[in-house]
């Protein structure tokens, strides 16, 4: 099969299109014919070698965790799926080696769910990691109808999902973003506030009694944001463990979950959740896809079509 691989850590220049053996199928695994995969910041951070102390990488490695495709082969004990099923998933394994930037990927069934019927393969591939991160942070924080929620980096890949999910739950959402993304957030029903000096005052002007939940998807804001919480409020962060250790909140590291993907699918197919794809690249141009994600200049996900 064709696959993008890297044999050493480094810049996007280390990525190359190579021929690799078809993946081995385990008893609780299916082989997915990849139609699309997407790039997340963690992908290039792993490729650069920044996470070597946290996640083992077996070189040469095929990058990528997000996938959308069609089941091509089923394992010995995978009653959940049949050949031909359209699926999507967050295919994170114990080591980085056989990722999704390939024509085929072996995916444990615990990492997959049926693809939303309302989404294309490119759109579906843009969902799993970011969508699950948003959903699991919201579940951990216990957001409920009628609450006021402050979302940091509300127009980002994770934040854009989080504000929509929170709105679907009946919450009022205030979102931090650069001025250029304010109209986008208003279109999602979010009250935008600008980053920078005076942020806390701007939030207090909108929520003088405080906010019930803070969701941090940017970093460097936990200490200041804790002071914006109403009595009994909580904070959840994907970047700062002090949210839990010093402020009694939650530190969230996203996990593969079929049930949570199914919940996202229901929101998509009910018209309560949407996804924005910024750019689509061919598999051979995966290095350019990584560069586009690293630039931080895109709103929406960068996707690779296989």
């Amino acid at each position: 099969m064709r696959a993008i691989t890297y044999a050493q850590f480094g810049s996007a220049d280390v990525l190359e299109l190579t021929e690799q053996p078809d993946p081995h199928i385990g008893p609780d695994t299916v082989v997915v014919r990849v139609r699309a995969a997407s790039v997340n910041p963690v992908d290039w951070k792993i490729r650069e070698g920044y996470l070597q102390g946290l996640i083992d990488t077996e070189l040469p490695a095929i990058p990528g965790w997000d996938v959308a495709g069609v089941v091509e082969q089923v394992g010995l004990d995978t009653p959940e799926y049949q050949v031909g099923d359209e699926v999507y998933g967050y295919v994170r394994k114990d080591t980085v080696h056989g990722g999704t930037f390939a024509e085929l990927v072996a995916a444990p069934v615990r990492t997959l769910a049926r693809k939303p019927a309302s989404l294309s393969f490119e759109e579906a591939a843009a969902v799993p990691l970011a969508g699950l991160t948003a959903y699991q942070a919201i579940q951990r924080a216990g957001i409920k109808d009628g609450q006021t929620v402050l979302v940091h980096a509300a127009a980002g890949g994770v934040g854009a999902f989080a504000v929509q999910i929170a709105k679907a739950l009946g919450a009022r959402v205030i979102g931090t973003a650069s001025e250029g993304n304010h109209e986008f957030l208003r279109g999602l029903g979010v009250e935008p506030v600008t980053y920078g000096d005076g942020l806390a005052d701007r939030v207090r002007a909108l929520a003088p009694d405080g906010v019930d939940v803070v969701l941090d998807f940017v970093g460097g804001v936990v200490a200041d944001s804790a002071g914006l919480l109403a009595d009994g409020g909580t904070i959840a962060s994907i970047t700062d463990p002090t949210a839990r250790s010093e402020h009694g909140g939650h530190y969230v590291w996203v996990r593969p979950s079929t049930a949570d993907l199914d919940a996202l699918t229901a929101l998509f197919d009910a018209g309560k959740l949407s996804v924005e794809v910024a750019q689509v690249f061919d598999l051979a141009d995966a290095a350019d896809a990584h560069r586009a994600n690293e630039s931080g200049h895109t709103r929406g996900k960068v996707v690779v079509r296989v």
Side-chain angles (χ1 to χ4, degrees), residues 18 33 87 120 225:
T18 62
R33 172 69 62 175
V87 295
S120 68
S225 295

Side-chain angles (χ1 to χ4, degrees), residues 4 6 18 50 53 67 73 130 148 153 170 172 179 193 202 250 254 260 276 278 294 298:
I4 296 296
Y6 58 98
T18 62
Y50 296 151
V67 71
Q73 185 181 358
T148 298
R172 175 197 179 195
E179 190 73 34
V193 292
R202 290 190 287 277
H250 311 274
V254 62
D260 291 350
E276 184 174 8
E294 287 180 69
T298 60

Side-chain angles (χ1 to χ4, degrees), residues 68 115-125 277:
K115 182 182 78 67
S118 56
L119 299 185
S120 68
F121 283 105
E122 289 81 4
E123 290 169 330
V277 174

Side-chain angles (χ1 to χ4, degrees), residues 198-221:
L199 171 61
D201 291 335
R202 290 190 287 277
V203 173
R204 288 192 185 97
L206 292 173
D209 295 327
V211 300
D212 299 295
V213 176
V214 173
L215 299 178
D216 166 34
F217 302 130
V218 67
V221 298

